[in-house]
Amino acid sequence: MTAPPPIPARRGATVHSLSRLAGVSVSTVSRALKDDPRIAPATRRRIADLAREAGYMPNVLARSLSGGQSGLIGLVNGPMQNPFYAELLAEAVNQAAERGQRLLILHAGTGPIEDRTSEALLHYRVDGCLVASAELSSRAAAICAERGVPLVMVNRVARLHASAVSCDNEAGGRDVAKFLLAGGHRRPALVLGTVGVSTSDGRERAFIARLAEAGLRLALRLHGHSTYEGGHAAGTAIAALPAGERPDAVFVLNDIMAMGLLDAVREAGLRVPEDLSVVGFDDVPAAARRCYGLTTLAQPLGTMVRRGLDLLAARIADPALPDESVTLRGQLVVRHSARLPDPARAG
Amino acid sequence: MTAPPPIPARRGATVHSLSRLAGVSVSTVSRALKDDPRIAPATRRRIADLAREAGYMPNVLARSLSGGQSGLIGLVNGPMQNPFYAELLAEAVNQAAERGQRLLILHAGTGPIEDRTSEALLHYRVDGCLVASAELSSRAAAICAERGVPLVMVNRVARLHASAVSCDNEAGGRDVAKFLLAGGHRRPALVLGTVGVSTSDGRERAFIARLAEAGLRLALRLHGHSTYEGGHAAGTAIAALPAGERPDAVFVLNDIMAMGLLDAVREAGLRVPEDLSVVGFDDVPAAARRCYGLTTLAQPLGTMVRRGLDLLAARIADPALPDESVTLRGQLVVRHSARLPDPARAG
DNA sequence: TTGAAAGCGTTACCAA
DNA sequence: TTGGTAACGCTTTCAA
């Protein structure tokens, strides 16, 4: 009868077990593992080999406990039914991974954030947090500031205790107005999303201001939820207007609503852009599909995320850095949901 | 000259600082904070108050170091351009939050998973991991098994060292075949997504088997990337076929491709469903939009995620539990992208 | 009902 | 170039 085989170490290798195997101290192991130049190359290699064989996996939780960073970036995201947020998430995940950081999703949805959620941000000691949706409560933001957890708003205007990166909403609103005016539209309407979204203000203000310069006023101003359904409802309402009162162009403040609106007005029998021009904002991938062909103001999402992570990284390295806002210029992508400028007139 | 005000504790309250404030030991604080019945109610309340005032935030990293769980669930997700994965993510985030767990996103994209990514799973000591996309390398899976990290495949068939929850792909394929046959289609085609996706096999096999029972064979079998563009390319190819060789129905194995295919065949001038019936799989939200009106086999995504988290929770509690596969029945959602069964014939 | 102390895995400072 | 040791914040066992 043979002795039973030794039970393999269930809990994996640690710097401790490696130090015993290598016959060196834990500090040497720790240093060797992070390629500290002070460790003799031979020792370093030996430990690296041992670590590989043993299937050593550093415990980042322990590492961050010991003064370091967690490598965790929090993300407070908007509703994933909106492809803009889906894309934002994808960008953030991939770009963070390139920097050796991981995304902890704190929220992905509409509506206010539960207290439990905003606290998780602190519980998990994220190194920083990207906020792309419904405002974090000011209390949560204040706690983050107090604790030195940098916050960066993405596609949201700056707030107290947070940096921000967003599209130049004023320029965007103005560009859309200019484009619509050049197209000869005389009865422009505006469709806004969920109230209280900070980016809407700039877009609306600049849009209206530019119209005013041309002596025009808004023919209609509607509010809806920032969803496909919200846009659909707005479109149905517009299509139901008597022809004389109907706007000849609509600026919809985000693409997901613009798509809903487009479907609704077409269902109602209106032709786009002959009867109604539609312009969106965001340039989500689906906007390019033939069944939408949406003219829209593209946000430079990849760059926004990159700059957001940059701001975060800088503040993680030096928490004393002041809040900073960066504004990126978007670009009008012309497709066929809006009447094109008359060459004769524009010429 | 006044003494400078004391610098506030920069690093937040800890069980230690609270114990000093309350004049009790750290163990008492620790216990009081988790409502241990052994602590006198008065003490408990006093400590709770102190904790609130001090803005105490437990450090879950430290907690999990000390033998507990991290509360972190890993997610290896597919490309977010596919609304199916966006929805899956949203479900997972919200349902995990209800269970007091947070999602660590390890991957969100197409293509193989980098080693760094799959290792992060171990580095962060996730309690378990949901895998919804491209296979984790077998090596990673083996390590997880060895380390006792439960894995649950979602919308993927079971693999070694992992539980799984998926839609009944066989039943789904059969249901679609039955529906198409009842609609009088005689030249059915199949469009598959990215090769090697484990769920495709069952759908295809059952679809073909049911056709065979009716004496029919596949008129065409195409492969593409599981993207809108992949579907679009397939649609273009089908529309380019001479009318005599063209299939009269296509079963597209996922909705994102079905939408691309739908747009492509319509662009090419075909009428759906008069010239071609299209049936998808998944039932993503956009499938219901008027411009698609896609008949598709709906996956019970909410339930799939729920059962997935259940499987995980059970294995976190008892790592000795054997792997388990759960199969959920999907449901055909009939819209107007496919010719309806002839009532007389279906009689 | 409460306290003391060990331990979780790492890092970093101070010696050697 | 390497080792010892004290944190980091929390939980838990064992005593009292």
Side-chain angles (χ1 to χ4, degrees), chain A residues 195-217:
Chain A
V195 292
V197 174
S198 51
T199 46
S200 299
D201 299 348
R203 295 176 197 173
E204 172 172 19
R205 193 169 37 239
F207 182 69
I208 292 180
R210 187 63 187 76
L211 293 182
E213 287 175 26
L216 291 187
R217 292 180 49 211

Short mmCIF file of all heavy atoms in Angstrom, two decimals, chain A residues 195-217:
data_model
loop_
_atom_site.label_atom_id
_atom_site.label_comp_id
_atom_site.label_asym_id
_atom_site.label_seq_id
_atom_site.Cartn_x
_atom_site.Cartn_y
_atom_site.Cartn_z
N VAL A 195 -34.54 64.95 -20.02
CA VAL A 195 -34.22 66.27 -19.45
C VAL A 195 -33.04 66.17 -18.49
O VAL A 195 -32.81 65.15 -17.87
CB VAL A 195 -35.42 66.87 -18.69
CG1 VAL A 195 -36.52 67.22 -19.66
CG2 VAL A 195 -35.91 65.93 -17.61
N GLY A 196 -32.34 67.27 -18.41
CA GLY A 196 -31.24 67.31 -17.45
C GLY A 196 -29.94 66.75 -17.94
O GLY A 196 -28.97 66.67 -17.19
N VAL A 197 -29.89 66.35 -19.20
CA VAL A 197 -28.62 65.86 -19.72
C VAL A 197 -27.79 67.07 -20.13
O VAL A 197 -28.19 67.85 -20.99
CB VAL A 197 -28.84 64.91 -20.92
CG1 VAL A 197 -27.49 64.55 -21.53
CG2 VAL A 197 -29.56 63.67 -20.45
N SER A 198 -26.66 67.18 -19.50
CA SER A 198 -25.91 68.42 -19.59
C SER A 198 -25.41 68.78 -20.98
O SER A 198 -25.20 69.94 -21.29
CB SER A 198 -24.73 68.36 -18.63
OG SER A 198 -24.00 67.17 -18.84
N THR A 199 -25.23 67.77 -21.82
CA THR A 199 -24.70 68.10 -23.15
C THR A 199 -25.73 68.74 -24.05
O THR A 199 -25.38 69.37 -25.04
CB THR A 199 -24.22 66.81 -23.85
OG1 THR A 199 -25.20 65.81 -23.71
CG2 THR A 199 -22.91 66.35 -23.26
N SER A 200 -26.99 68.56 -23.71
CA SER A 200 -28.05 69.09 -24.57
C SER A 200 -28.01 70.61 -24.64
O SER A 200 -28.24 71.20 -25.69
CB SER A 200 -29.43 68.66 -24.06
OG SER A 200 -29.54 67.27 -24.07
N ASP A 201 -27.75 71.23 -23.52
CA ASP A 201 -27.83 72.68 -23.43
C ASP A 201 -27.01 73.37 -24.50
O ASP A 201 -27.52 74.23 -25.22
CB ASP A 201 -27.36 73.15 -22.05
CG ASP A 201 -28.22 72.58 -20.95
OD1 ASP A 201 -29.30 72.02 -21.27
OD2 ASP A 201 -27.83 72.69 -19.77
N GLY A 202 -25.75 72.99 -24.58
CA GLY A 202 -24.88 73.65 -25.55
C GLY A 202 -25.36 73.44 -26.98
O GLY A 202 -25.38 74.37 -27.78
N ARG A 203 -25.76 72.22 -27.27
CA ARG A 203 -26.22 71.93 -28.63
C ARG A 203 -27.44 72.77 -28.97
O ARG A 203 -27.53 73.36 -30.04
CB ARG A 203 -26.58 70.44 -28.75
CG ARG A 203 -25.39 69.53 -28.58
CD ARG A 203 -25.75 68.05 -28.59
NE ARG A 203 -24.65 67.27 -28.03
CZ ARG A 203 -24.69 65.97 -27.77
NH1 ARG A 203 -25.79 65.28 -28.02
NH2 ARG A 203 -23.66 65.35 -27.25
N GLU A 204 -28.36 72.83 -28.03
CA GLU A 204 -29.59 73.58 -28.27
C GLU A 204 -29.30 75.07 -28.40
O GLU A 204 -29.75 75.73 -29.34
CB GLU A 204 -30.58 73.36 -27.12
CG GLU A 204 -31.80 74.27 -27.23
CD GLU A 204 -32.88 73.94 -26.23
OE1 GLU A 204 -32.58 73.27 -25.23
OE2 GLU A 204 -34.03 74.35 -26.47
N ARG A 205 -28.56 75.58 -27.45
CA ARG A 205 -28.29 77.02 -27.42
C ARG A 205 -27.64 77.49 -28.72
O ARG A 205 -28.10 78.44 -29.36
CB ARG A 205 -27.37 77.34 -26.24
CG ARG A 205 -27.27 78.80 -25.92
CD ARG A 205 -26.57 79.03 -24.58
NE ARG A 205 -25.49 78.07 -24.37
CZ ARG A 205 -25.43 77.22 -23.35
NH1 ARG A 205 -26.37 77.21 -22.43
NH2 ARG A 205 -24.41 76.39 -23.22
N ALA A 206 -26.61 76.78 -29.13
CA ALA A 206 -25.90 77.20 -30.34
C ALA A 206 -26.77 77.03 -31.58
O ALA A 206 -26.74 77.85 -32.50
CB ALA A 206 -24.61 76.40 -30.49
N PHE A 207 -27.56 75.98 -31.59
CA PHE A 207 -28.45 75.74 -32.73
C PHE A 207 -29.42 76.90 -32.88
O PHE A 207 -29.56 77.50 -33.95
CB PHE A 207 -29.19 74.42 -32.49
CG PHE A 207 -30.11 74.01 -33.60
CD1 PHE A 207 -29.61 73.58 -34.82
CD2 PHE A 207 -31.49 74.01 -33.41
CE1 PHE A 207 -30.46 73.18 -35.85
CE2 PHE A 207 -32.35 73.60 -34.42
CZ PHE A 207 -31.85 73.19 -35.65
N ILE A 208 -30.05 77.24 -31.77
CA ILE A 208 -31.03 78.32 -31.79
C ILE A 208 -30.39 79.65 -32.13
O ILE A 208 -30.92 80.45 -32.90
CB ILE A 208 -31.75 78.39 -30.43
CG1 ILE A 208 -32.63 77.15 -30.26
CG2 ILE A 208 -32.59 79.65 -30.32
CD1 ILE A 208 -33.40 77.10 -28.97
N ALA A 209 -29.21 79.87 -31.56
CA ALA A 209 -28.53 81.15 -31.81
C ALA A 209 -28.22 81.31 -33.29
O ALA A 209 -28.42 82.38 -33.88
CB ALA A 209 -27.24 81.21 -31.00
N ARG A 210 -27.78 80.23 -33.90
CA ARG A 210 -27.43 80.32 -35.32
C ARG A 210 -28.66 80.54 -36.18
O ARG A 210 -28.63 81.26 -37.18
CB ARG A 210 -26.69 79.05 -35.75
CG ARG A 210 -26.12 79.09 -37.15
CD ARG A 210 -25.08 80.17 -37.27
NE ARG A 210 -24.61 80.37 -38.66
CZ ARG A 210 -25.29 81.01 -39.60
NH1 ARG A 210 -26.48 81.52 -39.31
NH2 ARG A 210 -24.80 81.13 -40.83
N LEU A 211 -29.75 79.91 -35.78
CA LEU A 211 -31.00 80.12 -36.51
C LEU A 211 -31.42 81.58 -36.40
O LEU A 211 -31.83 82.20 -37.39
CB LEU A 211 -32.12 79.25 -35.92
CG LEU A 211 -32.02 77.73 -36.07
CD1 LEU A 211 -33.25 77.08 -35.46
CD2 LEU A 211 -31.87 77.34 -37.53
N ALA A 212 -31.27 82.10 -35.20
CA ALA A 212 -31.67 83.49 -34.95
C ALA A 212 -30.90 84.44 -35.87
O ALA A 212 -31.45 85.40 -36.40
CB ALA A 212 -31.45 83.85 -33.49
N GLU A 213 -29.64 84.14 -36.05
CA GLU A 213 -28.83 84.98 -36.93
C GLU A 213 -29.42 85.04 -38.33
O GLU A 213 -29.23 86.01 -39.06
CB GLU A 213 -27.40 84.44 -37.03
CG GLU A 213 -26.58 84.67 -35.78
CD GLU A 213 -25.21 84.00 -35.89
OE1 GLU A 213 -24.73 83.81 -37.03
OE2 GLU A 213 -24.64 83.65 -34.84
N ALA A 214 -30.09 83.95 -38.68
CA ALA A 214 -30.70 83.91 -40.01
C ALA A 214 -32.15 84.36 -39.95
O ALA A 214 -32.91 84.21 -40.91
CB ALA A 214 -30.60 82.50 -40.57
N GLY A 215 -32.52 84.88 -38.80
CA GLY A 215 -33.88 85.38 -38.65
C GLY A 215 -34.94 84.31 -38.47
O GLY A 215 -36.12 84.55 -38.66
N LEU A 216 -34.50 83.11 -38.06
CA LEU A 216 -35.47 82.03 -37.88
C LEU A 216 -35.65 81.66 -36.41
O LEU A 216 -34.74 81.84 -35.59
CB LEU A 216 -35.01 80.77 -38.63
CG LEU A 216 -35.04 80.82 -40.16
CD1 LEU A 216 -34.72 79.45 -40.71
CD2 LEU A 216 -36.40 81.30 -40.65
N ARG A 217 -36.82 81.16 -36.12
CA ARG A 217 -37.07 80.65 -34.77
C ARG A 217 -37.44 79.18 -34.88
O ARG A 217 -37.82 78.70 -35.95
CB ARG A 217 -38.21 81.43 -34.12
CG ARG A 217 -37.86 82.87 -33.82
CD ARG A 217 -39.05 83.56 -33.18
NE ARG A 217 -39.58 82.75 -32.09
CZ ARG A 217 -40.89 82.74 -31.75
NH1 ARG A 217 -41.75 83.48 -32.41
NH2 ARG A 217 -41.31 81.98 -30.76
#
